[in-house]
Amino acid sequence: MPRPRLHLVRQWTEGGNAYKAELYDRAVGETVSPTPAPVTAVPPLTAAWWSDLRTALVRLSAVHTDRTAVRQAYLDRAMPKYLAFLDGPVPTGPRAWSTAHGDLHWANLAGPELGILDWEGWGTAPAGYDAALLHAYSLGMPETAERVHQELSTLLDSEDGRFAELVVITELLQSAERGDNVELVPALRQRAKEVWHRTTADGVGVEVLL
């Protein structure tokens, strides 16, 4: 797993606030982008880099943990609200959960040798979540989004992957209300419609939790 080794964890409270500090190995290389959503085209990444990323995501998904990255209660509350523009009942129940990094975007990926940073939020999430999040953050750069889709198609082009895309689009639309990645909103809404139309055209039923 291309994760820096964790050496030390310290937790404490001070002034009514709780703190947690983690000491990792120093990461090698540089982050692929200074921001989660790239402001320019992502630099060329080797076939080996993409292969290592696919392998890392598959291995991570099989890790057993009681940590939680995405909660079902959040999906039930947020997805109907932020995906209300879709034509039909909004799905909120994934078919499967798996372990995810939870914040897989371009500022948390290093190269030229693959490194994955910022692990404090890892835990269970809808299957395909990490691939869907990286794809969603790339939508402002169509060529980059297409490359992500091409390289991670086995994770994205499935019922689980399409549901995961709706989940991360919900999260990013919500964060845009706070002023984060506002420029992605039109592309996020368009992608949600594409995913939803593909899902309904395939006749795939996704549980709607009431």
Side-chain angles (χ1 to χ4, degrees):
M1 180 68 65
R3 171 185 177 176
R5 180 181 301 176
L6 177 62
H7 291 278
L8 190 65
V9 178
R10 287 287 184 268
Q11 300 185 71
W12 70 95
T13 58
E14 183 178 330
N17 296 314
Y19 299 89
K20 181 178 181 180
E22 299 179 343
L23 178 63
Y24 287 89
D25 280 340
R26 182 174 181 177
V28 298
E30 298 182 356
T31 56
V32 177
S33 169
T35 57
V39 294
T40 59
V42 170
L45 298 166
T46 66
W49 189 95
W50 285 106
S51 177
D52 288 345
L53 179 60
R54 288 192 296 271
T55 299
L57 296 183
V58 170
R59 290 179 176 174
L60 176 60
S61 69
V63 172
H64 296 287
T65 182
D66 58 1
R67 295 172 58 102
T68 301
V70 179
R71 299 184 182 278
Q72 181 64 59
Y74 170 80
L75 303 183
D76 296 341
R77 180 178 68 254
M79 294 183 75
K81 176 181 179 180
Y82 290 98
L83 300 179
F85 58 90
L86 297 179
D87 183 20
V90 178
T92 62
R95 290 192 320 152
W97 297 79
S98 63
T99 301
H101 173 274
D103 200 17
L104 196 78
H105 55 62
W106 293 108
N108 283 337
L109 291 168
E113 180 180 345
L114 174 65
I116 304 178
L117 313 176
D118 197 13
W119 285 85
E120 74 270 12
W122 73 276
T124 55
Y129 181 88
D130 284 336
L133 188 61
L134 186 62
H135 185 257
Y137 269 117
S138 305
L139 289 173
M141 294 288 170
E143 290 186 4
T144 300
E146 177 57 32
R147 181 66 186 275
V148 174
H149 187 271
Q150 174 187 341
E151 297 289 350
L152 303 181
S153 60
T154 56
L155 299 173
L156 295 171
D157 290 343
S158 65
E159 181 180 347
D160 289 339
R162 290 194 292 272
F163 180 82
E165 285 202 68
L166 295 178
V167 170
V168 302
I169 289 170
T170 295
E171 293 177 323
L172 293 182
L173 288 177
Q174 182 181 27
S175 69
E177 290 186 345
R178 304 189 296 267
D180 297 329
N181 301 300
V182 175
E183 68 283 355
L184 287 179
V185 169
L188 290 168
R189 291 174 64 90
Q190 179 60 35
R191 181 59 183 169
K193 292 176 182 178
E194 294 169 358
V195 171
W196 180 243
H197 290 161
R198 172 70 182 277
T199 299
T200 55
D202 287 350
V204 175
V206 181
E207 181 184 2
V208 178
L209 301 182
L210 300 177

